[in-house]
Amino acid sequence: MIVPAYWAEARRQQRKDGRQITVRRYGWSDASQADAQQHAETRAGEALQRLLAGERLDRREPKQPYNGADGLPIREEIVERHGTAVVTRNSYGARCLNVPDVLFADIDHAHRAPLRLSVIVFVLAALAAALAGHACGSGFGYALAFAAVLGCAPAAHGLFRLWRWLAGGAEAQALRRVRRYAHRHPDWGIRVYRTPAGLRLLVTHRPFAPGATEVAAFFAAVGTDPLYARMCRNQRCFRARVSAKPWRIGIGAHLKPRPGVWPVAAEKQPQRTAWIAAYERAAEAWAACTSLEHLGPAAIHPAVAPVLALHDRLSRAGSKLPIA
C-alpha cells in the first residue's frame, strides 16, 4: 500500500517516422515535491523509450484518486497517519481508513433482481407466450410475446423482493452468509457492522495480505461487493469509509474544486478548505456504521487491535448516532 504525500506530472516528446510521440506520466514521493517530479521524469522517460521500441502503452495516465490503474498509488489527501494505517479524504470528501493488512469487507445489499433471475423469467415468459400464440393460431401470439418481454423485468424484480421478504430481509440474508462462514471457520474472528447500504466486516484473528487466496475466498463466500474486492487487489490495501457520505447528511454541493482529485492548485485550496469545514461540522452528528456483533474467538490479534480501535473511534461505531 502506497499513499504518497507529493505528486507531480512529467511530459516527454520525440519524433519518430515523421510524427510526434508525446507521453505523460505521474510521479510520487513521501519526501518532497522535487522527488516526486524526478520520479515523474524517470517514469515518463521509461514509457517513451518503450513506446519508441514499439510497445503498446497508454500515452497518458488517468488522473483518478483511487483504483485509477493497476500499480498507481492512492491519490488522495492524507488527513492522518497512524503507523501503517492512513486516513485519506476521498473524491467526494469523506474520510477513509486505508490499511495494508487488516481485512475489511463491504457487503452491499442488492436492490434489483440478479441478472440470472431476470434471464430465467424472460425465457419462461417467452416460452409461455410462444405456446399461447401457437394455441391461438393467430398474430395475437406475437402481441402476447411482446407483452411478455416488456413485463419480464418488473416480474423478476417482484419475485426477487418477495423472495427477500420471505427470507427475512436483505440484512438477515447477508448475516446468515457471514454466520455460515464463521461456523465453517471457527478460528476466524469477525466483527460485524451495519452500514447505510449493507454490512461491514472486520476480521480480527490475524492480519492478511490483500492478494491472498484466503481473502478472495472470504470475499466470495460472504458476498463482498465485487468493485471493492477489485480495488483491494489493485491498490494492495483494505479500506473502510469512516465518515458520512455528504449527500446523506444534507450537503448537496460537491467537494470543491471538481473533481476532488488530490492535489489541487494553491489558488483553489480556499474553496476546498471551506467545503471541508462545512462538511466536518455536519458530519459530527453522524456515524459511518454501527457495531452489530462479534463472531468467533473474542481475542484480537495484536496487529489488528489498534486498527480496530481506530476504526471504531473514527467511524463512531459504538455511538447511538444515526448512520450515513
Side-chain angles (χ1 to χ4, degrees), residues 1-4 7 25-28 39 43 50 61-62 64-75 230-237:
M1 182 184 85
I2 307 174
V3 190
W7 283 85
R25 287 294 183 268
Y26 293 114
W28 51 87
H39 186 221
R43 294 186 72 238
R50 291 168 64 186
E61 292 171 326
Q64 296 185 15
Y66 188 79
N67 202 43
D70 291 353
L72 286 185
I74 296 171
R75 185 175 184 143
R230 180 163 60 87
M231 286 179 170
C232 289
R233 290 193 300 270
N234 288 353
Q235 296 292 349
R236 297 186 294 280
C237 79

Side-chain angles (χ1 to χ4, degrees), residues 52-265:
L52 292 172
E55 190 172 343
R56 297 178 64 87
L57 294 175
D58 289 335
R59 302 292 181 90
R60 187 170 192 166
E61 292 171 326
K63 187 178 180 181
Q64 296 185 15
Y66 188 79
N67 202 43
D70 291 353
L72 286 185
I74 296 171
R75 185 175 184 143
E76 296 178 343
E77 179 187 9
I78 296 171
V79 180
E80 303 171 19
R81 289 186 185 271
H82 301 268
T84 59
V86 181
V87 180
T88 59
R89 192 171 304 280
N90 69 13
S91 59
Y92 56 77
R95 285 174 278 116
C96 294
L97 175 62
N98 306 273
V99 291
D101 56 2
V102 176
L103 174 48
F104 285 93
D106 278 353
I107 303 172
D108 289 342
H109 300 325
H111 296 290
R112 299 193 63 82
L115 178 60
R116 183 168 57 181
L117 177 60
S118 298
V119 171
I120 291 172
V121 171
F122 172 81
V123 171
L124 292 176
L127 286 173
L131 290 173
H134 179 73
C136 293
S138 69
F140 175 71
Y142 294 103
L144 192 60
F146 181 70
V149 170
L150 292 179
C152 68
H157 185 55
L159 287 172
F160 174 69
R161 291 181 63 185
L162 176 62
W163 168 73
R164 192 169 64 181
W165 177 77
L166 291 172
E171 182 172 286
Q173 287 179 297
L175 283 171
R176 278 196 291 272
R177 286 198 304 271
V178 177
R179 289 166 182 161
R180 278 198 300 268
Y181 188 90
H183 180 72
R184 293 195 301 267
H185 300 80
D187 56 322
W188 279 57
I190 305 174
R191 188 69 58 93
V192 184
Y193 302 85
R194 177 184 291 124
T195 67
L199 298 177
R200 174 178 296 168
L201 311 178
L202 196 170
V203 178
T204 58
H205 67 286
R206 71 173 178 87
F208 287 86
T213 303
E214 290 171 293
V215 171
F218 175 68
F219 282 165
V222 299
T224 301
D225 173 35
L227 178 61
Y228 174 80
R230 180 163 60 87
M231 286 179 170
C232 289
R233 290 193 300 270
N234 288 353
Q235 296 292 349
R236 297 186 294 280
C237 79
F238 302 102
R239 179 173 171 99
R241 180 177 55 81
V242 291
S243 68
K245 289 188 174 181
W247 55 91
R248 289 179 177 159
I249 59 174
I251 297 179
H254 294 283
L255 174 63
K256 305 295 184 182
R258 296 289 308 278
V261 180
W262 188 256
V264 300

